[in-house]
Each structure stands twice: as C-alpha cells, then as structure tokens.
C-alpha cells in the first residue's frame, strides 16, 4: 500500500525558481528518502533523512522532516531545466522495505 | 560503486508466454533484493522481497505463482512473469540491499510489453 502522499501532484515553475514538494506518511519510520525519476528511467537516490534528524542539505537540495506531523519537504533551489522529473518520497521501516508515495511531477521551464 | 543492473531493459512478448527478468548487484553482495512494479504515471508498488537462499515474501495481492522469484546467489535475483497477459505490461524495477536499513540501490528497470 502507498504510505506516502506527495503534494502537489504536479508543479510547473520557471528556471531559477525554487521548487518545494511535500510528503506525508502514516506510520512510524526509520528514515525517509527522496528519489528522482526521469521519464521511463530508473530511480536516482537524492537524499536520506533519518527519523532523529530534522533537516538535511545536499547541494541545491534541502530536506526537512517533522515526525510529529509525519511529513517531509524537499526544496530544490535555483531550479534548472534538467531538474524536470518525477520526485518520490519513500519511507523506510525496520523491515528494510521502502514504501513510495505517489510522486510529484516537476516541470522546469527554460 | 553500488551498481545494480537489470536485463533485459525492455521486452515484448506474446500473451501466454513467460518472461524472465534478471537483477544483478555488480559490485556488492545483496542478501535482500526487492521487486517493484510501476504502471504509467504511477508510483512504485512493492511486489516482493527476495532473500538469498529462501523463499520470497510477496506483498498482499501479488500472485506468487504468477510472479516467480528466485534469489539463487548473493548477486542475482530473477523475476519470471508466467503466462503473461497484456495487463502485466509494466515497468519492473529491482533494488538490492547490501545490508542495513538505510540503503537500497535501484536497477534501471525493465519495460515489459505483452501483446
């Protein structure tokens, strides 16, 4: 079953703008991960944040995690056309399984 | 490092035939591999967990007799779609876990089209 719910489902912005995507989940987690998927391709791991962490940065990416609200956000700063892709959050539990959200389709217009 | 390959990358088959998809961890050993299915414009749905040397664990609603999983070695898991039908057409993605709860490495996916 799909635990994560991303919003928005689709986001269209101009190059240079920031993009924020949100993810909510329902059960307790060990970690939350964000992935990118270009159309028809495999997944690219972007960032992992553990349940005891609140914020993490990687390059132009910033991820926050609020376990009390069971939510996470992914911020992409200074977006580029090459950032156009689908973005998924996935929650990891104690059984090593990942449960993926429905994803956000990000379009960055040049 | 940490590369996972899948073969084939795409396959077209006739209805009623069986198709085998391989998932290999190229530079690490994976005691656990996972198989996902993704329909167009949808998210990844976990199908089963494949453990080396033991039977796979299937998610609810996934027919184990239709989707045969074999994890014969620490670097190879196979998914066989038996008696494939057009509704089985999908993007199948595997991932491999080298150990620990945090890390899964994903393969590039296999696109199956059943005519």
């Amino acid at each position: 079953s799909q635990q994560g719910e991303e919003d928005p489902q689709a986001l269209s912005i101009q190059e240079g703008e920031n993009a924020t995507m949100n993810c909510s989940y329902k059960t307790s987690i060990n970690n939350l991960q964000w992935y990118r998927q270009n159309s028809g391709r495999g997944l690219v791991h972007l960032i992992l944040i553990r349940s005891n962490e609140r914020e993490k940065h990687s390059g132009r990416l910033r991820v926050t995690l609020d376990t009390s609200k069971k939510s996470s956000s992914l911020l992409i700063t200074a977006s580029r056309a090459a950032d156009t892709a689908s973005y998924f959050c996935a929650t990891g539990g104690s059984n090593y399984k990942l449960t993926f959200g429905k994803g956000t389709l990000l379009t960055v217009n040049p | 490092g940490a590369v996972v390959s899948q073969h084939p990358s795409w396959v077209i088959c006739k209805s009623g035939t069986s198709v085998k998809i391989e998932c290999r961890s190229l530079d690490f050993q994976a005691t656990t591999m996972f198989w996902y299915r993704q329909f167009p414009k949808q998210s990844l749905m976990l199908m089963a967990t494949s453990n080396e040397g033991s039977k796979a664990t299937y998610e609810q609603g996934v027919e184990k007799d239709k989707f045969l999983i074999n994890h014969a070695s620490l670097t190879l898991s196979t998914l066989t779609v038996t008696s494939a039908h057009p509704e089985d057409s999908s993007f199948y993605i595997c991932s491999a876990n080298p150990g620990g709860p945090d890390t899964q490495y994903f393969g590039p996916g296999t696109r199956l089209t059943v005519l």
Side-chain angles (χ1 to χ4, degrees):
Chain A
S1 62
Q2 290 293 308
Q3 163 154 256
E5 295 278 342
E6 283 100 329
D7 76 87
Q9 291 187 358
L11 178 62
S12 182
I13 59 175
Q14 294 299 122
E15 210 165 23
E17 294 179 341
N18 295 341
T20 300
M21 289 161 268
N22 302 297
C23 169
S24 61
Y25 57 93
K26 296 176 182 175
T27 63
S28 62
I29 61 172
N30 281 347
N31 62 71
L32 188 144
Q33 305 180 36
W34 285 90
Y35 290 85
R36 183 184 75 217
Q37 184 181 37
N38 290 83
S39 180
R41 309 291 286 272
L43 293 176
V44 175
H45 182 263
L46 295 176
I47 198 164
L48 178 151
I49 186 165
R50 293 189 172 82
S51 59
N52 61 352
E53 297 176 311
R54 292 297 166 259
E55 188 171 312
K56 206 162 184 179
H57 297 251
S58 177
R60 294 184 295 115
L61 306 180
R62 182 172 80 96
V63 168
T64 63
L65 177 64
D66 187 333
T67 53
S68 67
K69 295 181 179 178
K70 291 188 167 57
S71 68
S72 173
S73 68
L74 171 67
L75 168 67
I76 303 174
T77 60
S79 64
R80 305 166 182 167
D83 295 329
T84 294
S86 291
Y87 291 81
F88 295 94
C89 69
T91 53
S94 58
N95 57 7
Y96 297 11
K97 291 183 185 178
L98 289 179
T99 303
F100 283 82
K102 294 182 179 178
T104 294
L105 177 59
L106 173 65
T107 302
V108 181
N109 302 298
Chain B
V3 177
V4 176
S5 70
Q6 281 185 241
H7 178 79
S9 55
W10 59 269
V11 57
I12 301 173
C13 70
K14 292 182 179 180
S15 187
T17 60
S18 294
V19 174
K20 180 186 283 189
I21 302 170
E22 293 184 350
C23 177
R24 292 182 186 272
S25 55
L26 298 185
D27 48 6
F28 65 96
Q29 294 185 330
T31 54
T32 305
M33 290 184 174
F34 301 90
W35 287 96
Y36 298 84
R37 179 168 54 184
Q38 184 180 33
F39 292 109
K41 299 188 187 302
Q42 294 189 27
S43 188
L44 281 75
M45 293 291 293
L46 179 65
M47 299 175 66
T49 303
S50 170
N51 294 298
E52 188 267 337
S54 64
K55 291 184 179 181
T57 304
Y58 291 82
E59 295 299 300
Q60 192 173 10
V62 178
E63 299 175 58
K64 62 180 183 184
D65 294 330
K66 181 167 184 61
F67 298 100
L68 300 180
I69 291 173
N70 184 283
H71 194 153
S73 78
L74 286 172
T75 59
L76 173 64
S77 175
T78 61
L79 169 68
T80 301
V81 184
T82 62
S83 187
H85 291 282
E87 57 266 32
D88 298 323
S89 297
S90 188
F91 194 52
Y92 291 87
I93 304 175
C94 73
S95 70
N97 184 318
D102 291 349
T103 309
Q104 284 189 33
Y105 299 101
F106 283 81
T110 296
R111 184 160 302 283
L112 170 64
T113 302
V114 184
L115 302 177

